[in-house]
Amino acid sequence: MKTGAFTAMAAATMLAAAPALADLVIPTLNYRTGPYAPSGIPYADGFSDYLRLLNARDGGVGGVPIVERECETAYNTEKGVECYEALKGEGALVFIPQSTGITYQLIPKATVDQIPVHSIGYGRTSAANGKVFEWVFNYPGTYWDAASIIVKYAMDQSGGSLEGKKITLVYHNSAYGKEPIRTLEDLAKKHGYTLNLIAVDHPGQEQKSQWLQIRRERPDFVFMWGWGVMNQVAVQEAANIKFPMENFIGVWWSGSEADVKPAGDGANGYKAVTWHSPGSDFPLYADLKTHVYDKGNAAGDGTKVGEVLYNRGVFSAIVTTEAIRKAQEIHGVAQITPAMMRDGMENLDITAERWAELGLPGFTAPIKISCADHGAPGLAAIQQWDAAAQKWTIVSDFYTPDEEVVQPLIEADSMAYASENNITPRSCE
Amino acid sequence: MDPVVLNTLEVILNGLMAGVMYSLVALGFVLIFKASGIFNYAQGVMALFAALTLVGLQTGQVPFAHLINAIFGTQLHHFGWELPSILAILGSMAVMILFAFLVERYILKHLVNQEPIILFMATIGLAFFMEGFGDLMWGADIKKLDVGLPQGGSFWLEEQTAGWASEGSDYYGMYIDVLDVWATMIAVALVVALTLFSQYTKTGRALRAVADDHQAALSVGISLRAIWVIVWAIAGFVALVAGIMWGAKLGVQFSLSLIALKALPVLMLGGFTSIPGAIVGGLIIGVGEKLFEFAIGPMIGGATENWFAYMLALLFLVFRPQGLFGDKIIERV
């Protein structure tokens, strides 16, 4: 009798915990703990708040509520894989790994399980080739897009030519940090600049040698592919040696409030590439306030709203839910499967007008994904930190990537992957 | 003078300064190991916790605000006042003394006479607990630490030395971070104070007695428990100093706890039981890794400092297993 009651209780608990069949399940592999939590928390809050808004205001997407299944990874690859294994059976529509390391681990697994993986501005760059990576997406841009855009911007700042200039790349000594090297080397041949590479070992708390070297070599520009504490220390060291901060440009993972605030006034003028606007001066935030913050239903304490990474979380939630909407439209059903989700992602088309309808006019560039191109549009702008006002401001137009250099690299790398893994690229005609 | 010579001098000078920063962390390990034979895995986290507390007190942050808000639906963040740095430092020290008392009361007391590995495991548990506790108490945000210490390159030195190089060469003067100079002075003062304390005070002599022989110290009436509280409190103070110095460089954040990784080769080289060893070890590691990165690093892809520090320490271990200044362990059958 006791066993029966226990079994009934356990079953009831499981039913209560598991999402209903008619829910749209979105797993979130967050990192609210560990050394990278200062970056993980605002992103996770932004992502959750937007999903909560849709549930509260619209009843979900297409009338179906969204269920967020949060799993804490602490930015640890092994934990990320555990999260994937635990959640894939719960009807997960798409996995957003929030880490390049986890993405690399999930690519073969998710391909077999036929669940889309969306590494939003990180992960394996050549996954942009949808002919090879059917289940992997990395829109709205890749690291190679970012590298070529930073070079284009530097060129504009140098009067249209980088001939004879010295550029130093300070990079996290990991697969992520090394991603832009090939692109920057190819661009160096094309534009005639000298590229100097300086690696920083994880975690990057001590960078005296690296910045002494930069001080001796006096490059015209320093680019940074950093993460976590490496960013804060680099910005501080650059300020210490009085490197002109307007010529110090980071990738989009080296350009949040957390990266610049510890250096105080010294960080003034530092720049980073970004694909979306900072700040909360958009109509969407009024809706978030009414339906989420004021109802006491926000994921965080409200202090991160409008920060770069909070907005990136909101962006990620929007492109995810818009893909769900597209999948529902294509297949004519409200309850979709991971395969349908993939179709939605592959046919995603968020125009400037749609961004405005969503309450984010001018927030980012239009996005149009296709069977062949999973990394579009690759557009990005440059933002600059104002230490006095304590805010980032977009200081350039949106640039297109240098397709002439980037596309052959994507083609070569993805075809090498296809050959290693016996994948026959599909036709996207 | 040849710019290469000047650059080498600059690297050596900066290596010495970096070494002092490593020594500051290593000192805490040495103090506890010397008095109780415990390798305190939590020393890095103690530096993080002390720095978090300091910034929290300075900025008038409400401790456990996130938890309180989640339970009571309040919107608490700050008290609305700010403490002067000196008061905040004293307040943080008081918290570290309380921490030492609690560690002795709830952990060490129950592990008397246990194997060193058990005590080591206990400090691993303590480290993870402190990480979570610090996070819950003060939040995971990166915080700027400002206790009034100057930071940035010394432009006076740069100007004075800019003309030292031979004419026509690209030399921009010698670079030293003023914060590192302060760290050096503070570390020297700390070592002098610790030495005077251990040599000329009754408590200091008791500490040395416990360090030499627990049983003998107990037999002459020294309270082991009181000594442990004192030692952990002093280590807490050293952690606070290390937390201030490193926190000023990288902001107060979770990664501060990882500075312990920089102290390990220093301990291996200098010995686990010697305060001068921690200092000399730090200087050797600092200069060694910076010179290697300067001379060899560019030829082999750079980022050599982390592994080279351990290589250097291992090299010393081959010839002196107890470290440069460590006590030679002799066990008779």
Side-chain angles (χ1 to χ4, degrees):
Chain A
M1 183 62 193
K2 272 183 181 172
T3 313
F6 178 77
T7 312
M9 260 176 62
T13 312
M14 281 171 71
L15 279 173
L21 279 176
D23 289 336
L24 299 165
V25 180
I26 301 179
T28 46
L29 275 55
N30 290 337
Y31 48 101
R32 292 179 180 276
T33 61
Y36 302 107
S39 302
I41 291 171
Y43 176 92
D45 288 351
F47 193 91
S48 280
D49 283 351
Y50 185 74
L51 298 187
R52 289 169 194 211
L53 169 70
L54 290 188
N55 278 344
R57 190 188 62 189
D58 310 335
V61 184
V64 186
I66 302 161
V67 173
E68 189 188 351
R69 302 288 284 159
E70 187 165 5
C71 188
E72 173 65 33
T73 69
Y75 201 74
N76 177 297
T77 300
E78 288 78 19
K79 283 187 190 170
V81 174
E82 281 172 24
C83 285
Y84 171 83
E85 294 296 346
L87 295 174
K88 71 177 183 185
E90 294 197 13
L93 293 176
V94 58
F95 276 90
I96 302 169
Q98 294 192 50
S99 143
T100 293
I102 299 173
T103 305
Y104 269 79
Q105 293 299 315
L106 296 195
I107 287 174
K109 288 174 181 287
T111 304
V112 171
D113 295 331
Q114 304 208 324
I115 302 173
V117 169
H118 190 187
S119 51
I120 303 175
Y122 51 88
R124 187 179 186 121
T125 294
S126 62
N129 186 353
K131 291 178 187 171
V132 174
F133 296 92
E134 284 185 49
W135 294 90
V136 189
F137 297 79
N138 52 10
Y139 58 83
T142 67
Y143 290 134
W144 298 349
D145 294 331
S148 73
I149 285 169
I150 296 174
V151 167
K152 274 189 176 183
Y153 177 77
M155 198 150 66
D156 280 354
Q157 296 300 298
S158 310
S161 169
L162 287 174
E163 191 69 44
K165 299 279 184 195
K166 286 192 282 186
I167 293 178
T168 293
L169 173 71
V170 179
Y171 66 96
H172 194 265
N173 198 19
S174 62
Y176 150 70
K178 290 173 184 169
E179 276 276 338
I181 293 176
R182 273 179 70 186
T183 314
L184 291 174
E185 282 171 347
D186 282 13
L187 286 164
K189 286 177 206 151
K190 182 176 174 180
H191 297 298
Y193 63 80
T194 310
L195 179 67
N196 185 32
L197 304 171
I198 298 186
V200 175
D201 255 341
H202 175 80
Q205 305 141 318
E206 233 295 301
Q207 298 177 31
K208 190 70 77 197
S209 299
Q210 287 80 359
W211 287 92
L212 281 177
Q213 190 183 340
I214 288 171
R215 184 175 170 275
R216 284 192 298 270
E217 290 169 357
R218 304 262 153 154
D220 297 287
F221 290 93
V222 173
F223 300 163
M224 175 161 69
W225 245 252
W227 183 229
V229 69
M230 178 188 156
N231 290 339
Q232 292 101 45
V233 175
V235 171
Q236 181 67 64
E237 291 288 1
N240 286 352
I241 66 162
K242 298 277 178 204
F243 185 82
M245 296 305 270
E246 64 278 10
N247 291 346
F248 184 18
I249 309 170
V251 69
W252 41 59
W253 301 115
S254 302
S256 73
E257 284 76 2
D259 298 326
V260 284
K261 281 185 176 173
D265 291 343
N268 191 49
Y270 169 69
K271 291 171 179 169
V273 68
T274 180
W275 72 75
H276 59 80
S277 295
S280 56
D281 194 17
F282 295 97
L284 174 73
Y285 287 88
D287 270 11
L288 281 164
K289 186 172 183 316
T290 309
H291 296 283
V292 182
Y293 311 149
D294 289 353
K295 295 265 169 66
N297 195 27
D301 59 8
T303 55
K304 309 293 174 203
V305 172
E307 286 194 358
V308 168
L309 292 174
Y310 181 92
N311 284 12
R312 197 159 298 163
V314 170
F315 171 93
S316 305
I318 290 176
V319 293
T320 304
T321 51
E322 286 298 294
I324 292 174
R325 209 181 297 279
K326 178 58 89 178
Q328 290 171 334
E329 186 190 310
I330 293 170
H331 293 279
V333 292
Q335 183 63 53
I336 61 165
T337 62
M340 293 174 185
M341 178 70 183
R342 194 193 69 88
D343 294 342
M345 294 171 82
E346 208 154 68
N347 290 282
L348 186 68
D349 185 6
I350 311 179
T351 60
E353 293 73 32
R354 180 61 186 153
W355 278 114
E357 277 171 33
L358 290 164
L360 293 170
F363 179 72
T364 185
I367 298 174
K368 188 168 169 53
I369 309 304
S370 66
C371 162
D373 189 357
H374 284 189
L379 302 179
I382 301 294
Q383 62 178 4
Q384 186 169 32
W385 177 247
D386 181 342
Q390 292 281 287
K391 66 171 193 175
W392 288 99
T393 311
I394 301 267
V395 292
S396 80
D397 291 332
F398 273 80
Y399 283 82
T400 53
D402 191 333
E403 298 289 359
E404 193 182 291
V405 170
V406 172
Q407 271 311 319
L409 290 173
I410 289 177
E411 190 67 18
D413 195 74
S414 57
M415 293 318 286
Y417 178 86
S419 153
E420 284 162 19
N421 293 278
N422 295 322
I423 295 170
T424 309
R426 63 179 167 155
S427 165
C428 280
E429 297 306 313
Chain B
M1 213 184 290
D2 189 338
V4 175
V5 177
L6 289 167
N7 286 336
T8 310
L9 272 176
E10 180 185 69
V11 169
I12 292 172
L13 213 53
N14 278 279
L16 289 170
M17 305 276 186
V20 170
M21 296 288 281
Y22 303 158
S23 299
L24 273 177
V25 188
L27 268 178
F29 282 97
V30 169
L31 285 168
I32 290 179
F33 190 84
K34 205 169 150 61
S36 55
I38 300 172
F39 178 79
N40 179 23
Y41 185 83
Q43 190 64 33
V45 187
M46 280 168 66
L48 166 67
F49 184 75
L52 278 172
T53 307
L54 173 59
V55 179
L57 292 176
Q58 256 186 328
T59 56
Q61 201 184 333
V62 178
F64 303 107
H66 196 70
L67 193 66
I68 294 167
N69 293 341
I71 295 172
F72 300 106
T74 49
Q75 291 290 322
L76 297 173
H77 296 299
H78 289 84
F79 290 115
W81 42 257
E82 289 185 1
L83 271 186
S85 296
I86 186 70
L87 288 181
I89 290 172
L90 291 174
S92 307
M93 194 49 232
V95 171
M96 294 314 286
I97 291 171
L98 176 68
F99 165 77
F101 175 78
L102 293 174
V103 166
E104 194 284 326
R105 177 76 180 76
Y106 292 105
I107 300 176
L108 299 180
K109 190 180 110 175
H110 304 286
L111 298 175
V112 173
N113 286 334
Q114 293 293 327
E115 292 292 317
I117 188 70
I118 303 290
L119 291 160
F120 173 61
M121 297 303 272
T123 65
I124 292 179
L126 179 66
F128 282 101
F129 172 76
M130 291 281 290
E131 269 175 17
F133 188 74
D135 202 28
L136 200 65
M137 191 169 173
W138 300 113
D141 283 347
I142 299 176
K143 297 162 184 78
K144 179 167 173 57
L145 177 64
D146 185 5
V147 290
L149 290 174
Q151 196 164 2
S154 163
F155 295 101
W156 174 81
L157 184 72
E158 201 172 274
E159 278 172 24
Q160 297 298 312
T161 53
W164 287 7
S166 12
E167 215 165 302
S169 55
D170 284 340
Y171 184 69
Y172 310 104
M174 202 165 280
Y175 175 85
I176 284 181
D177 188 343
V178 184
L179 181 71
D180 289 346
V181 178
W182 274 90
T184 305
M185 292 193 296
I186 289 168
V188 169
L190 198 63
V191 170
V192 170
L194 285 173
T195 310
L196 291 176
F197 174 75
S198 67
Q199 297 287 343
Y200 297 107
T201 65
K202 198 176 163 188
T203 316
R205 281 195 293 273
L207 281 178
R208 284 161 55 210
V210 170
D212 282 346
D213 191 326
H214 287 188
Q215 302 273 357
L218 277 169
S219 70
V220 294
I222 294 170
S223 164
L224 200 57
R225 289 182 57 188
I227 291 297
W228 277 356
V229 172
I230 292 167
V231 167
W232 277 75
I234 296 171
F237 174 64
V238 173
L240 176 62
V241 174
I244 291 172
M245 291 303 162
W246 279 95
K249 279 171 97 76
L250 40 123
V252 177
Q253 56 174 305
F254 188 98
S255 296
L256 205 58
S257 63
L258 303 177
I259 54 173
L261 294 175
K262 299 301 280 186
L264 283 182
V266 173
L267 292 166
M268 287 159 70
L269 201 149
F272 282 77
T273 52
S274 164
I275 291 173
I279 301 294
V280 176
L283 297 178
I284 295 174
I285 292 286
V287 172
E289 66 174 27
K290 295 283 179 285
L291 269 180
F292 188 82
E293 175 70 23
F294 171 66
I296 313 290
M299 294 177 220
I300 54 173
T304 60
E305 285 162 282
N306 276 4
W307 62 262
F308 182 76
Y310 283 89
M311 269 252 310
L312 194 62
L314 281 172
L315 200 67
F316 272 83
L317 279 188
V318 171
F319 299 102
R320 273 193 73 86
Q322 69 275 31
L324 276 181
F325 294 83
D327 298 333
K328 198 162 190 174
I329 301 161
I330 302 167
E331 288 188 18
R332 293 190 172 84
V333 179

